[in-house]
Amino acid sequence: MSKTEFELMVITCWTIWKARNIFLFEARKPSSQMSVAKAEALLEAYKRVKPSGLTCGADKEKKTAEVWKPPPQNWFKVNVDVAIIKEKHLSGLGAVIRDSTGNAIVAAVKTSRFHGDVSYAEAEAVRWGLQGPEDAGLSSLIIKTDSQMVANLINNRKGRKNEIYWVISEIQDKIKDLRNVKCYYTSRSCNAIVYSLAKLAFDHLGTVVWLGSFPIEITNVFNSFD
């Protein structure tokens, strides 16, 4: 058994234990699919935030996992992420829009063709994530992506990457058209929910958008990270 497989086994056991407690003490039954998705998302988050090698105590304190925070009043936060199945040349896009109270008002998934460039897929997720707020007439948006490269390119903090230049250009044009839009990098630990949604995209070929009222599979994703 590889180290990654062992880590996934340990986290899966923990999510099963937590699902058992939720069933016993809260009379809710999380689906097994959601438990597996949560385990994989937590493992990805752990890999992103764990320190590499030895660090002093002060450094360790700085590397504590970031937690998701709601946007300021009258603002909306849009988290986007991507899951990829390279063998099938597919990418799953996930997006969640939440208000200043932390309530999810929109959740969406979409499948797209994976062209071999992860940063392109991440940029595509940002472009698509802006479409929902634009259609709904929402302004004052904070876009969060866990691709540092894409965030830097959108904010002109890094030189062009030719493979995704046109996608970045379209994103920048959309941001100009909307009012009060900011795009920031966020850690995978803050994107665990939307990463799980991105994986669910493979069960819903095409584009599916839920407004306010969510099916049980989406509710389970939100509840599993409470």
Side-chain angles (χ1 to χ4, degrees), residues 41-127:
L42 287 173
L43 180 57
E44 288 288 337
Y46 166 72
K47 289 180 177 179
R48 291 288 186 92
V49 301
K50 73 175 181 177
S52 57
L54 297 176
T55 59
C56 66
D59 288 338
K60 288 182 180 179
E61 291 180 2
K62 293 178 182 178
K63 290 182 178 291
T64 54
E66 184 183 352
V67 295
W68 187 91
K69 296 179 180 179
Q73 189 173 7
N74 298 322
W75 283 72
F76 298 91
K77 182 173 284 188
V78 186
N79 285 76
V80 297
D81 206 356
V82 175
I84 293 169
I85 301 179
K86 292 183 179 180
E87 299 79 12
K88 295 183 179 180
H89 304 287
L90 283 177
S91 59
L93 313 183
V96 177
I97 304 175
R98 283 175 278 198
D99 61 20
S100 59
T101 66
N103 289 326
I105 58 175
V106 178
V109 297
K110 176 184 177 181
T111 50
S112 182
R113 183 168 180 79
F114 177 59
H115 299 282
D117 188 330
V118 175
S119 59
Y120 181 94
E122 295 279 6
E124 185 181 20
V126 174
R127 178 179 61 181

Side-chain angles (χ1 to χ4, degrees), residues 23-213:
F23 177 73
L24 290 177
F25 301 112
E26 300 180 24
R28 291 191 288 117
K29 186 178 180 181
S31 71
S32 57
Q33 183 181 16
M34 290 305 100
S35 295
V36 172
K38 180 179 181 181
E40 293 175 338
L42 287 173
L43 180 57
E44 288 288 337
Y46 166 72
K47 289 180 177 179
R48 291 288 186 92
V49 301
K50 73 175 181 177
S52 57
L54 297 176
T55 59
C56 66
D59 288 338
K60 288 182 180 179
E61 291 180 2
K62 293 178 182 178
K63 290 182 178 291
T64 54
E66 184 183 352
V67 295
W68 187 91
K69 296 179 180 179
Q73 189 173 7
N74 298 322
W75 283 72
F76 298 91
K77 182 173 284 188
V78 186
N79 285 76
V80 297
D81 206 356
V82 175
I84 293 169
I85 301 179
K86 292 183 179 180
E87 299 79 12
K88 295 183 179 180
H89 304 287
L90 283 177
S91 59
L93 313 183
V96 177
I97 304 175
R98 283 175 278 198
D99 61 20
S100 59
T101 66
N103 289 326
I105 58 175
V106 178
V109 297
K110 176 184 177 181
T111 50
S112 182
R113 183 168 180 79
F114 177 59
H115 299 282
D117 188 330
V118 175
S119 59
Y120 181 94
E122 295 279 6
E124 185 181 20
V126 174
R127 178 179 61 181
W128 174 67
L130 283 168
Q131 190 62 51
E134 184 179 31
D135 292 343
L138 300 179
S139 59
S140 299
L141 304 173
I142 298 173
I143 312 296
K144 290 280 193 168
T145 171
D146 58 23
S147 171
Q148 183 75 72
M149 176 184 289
V150 169
N152 285 342
L153 286 169
I154 292 171
N155 292 301
N156 294 314
R157 293 178 186 151
K158 194 170 184 178
R160 294 182 181 180
K161 189 174 189 296
N162 291 333
E163 296 86 346
I164 62 174
Y165 170 70
W166 293 112
V167 183
I168 296 297
S169 179
E170 288 181 16
I171 293 170
Q172 291 171 333
D173 287 342
K174 281 184 177 291
I175 288 175
K176 291 177 182 177
D177 292 337
L178 296 167
R179 186 179 61 186
N180 293 337
V181 179
K182 302 176 182 179
C183 181
Y184 299 114
Y185 164 78
T186 189
S187 67
R188 174 57 63 87
S189 61
C190 291
N191 247 17
I193 286 179
V194 74
Y195 177 69
S196 293
L197 287 181
K199 296 184 70 173
L200 283 179
F202 301 123
D203 297 329
H204 301 272
L205 295 180
T207 301
V208 183
V209 179
W210 297 277
L211 301 173
S213 180

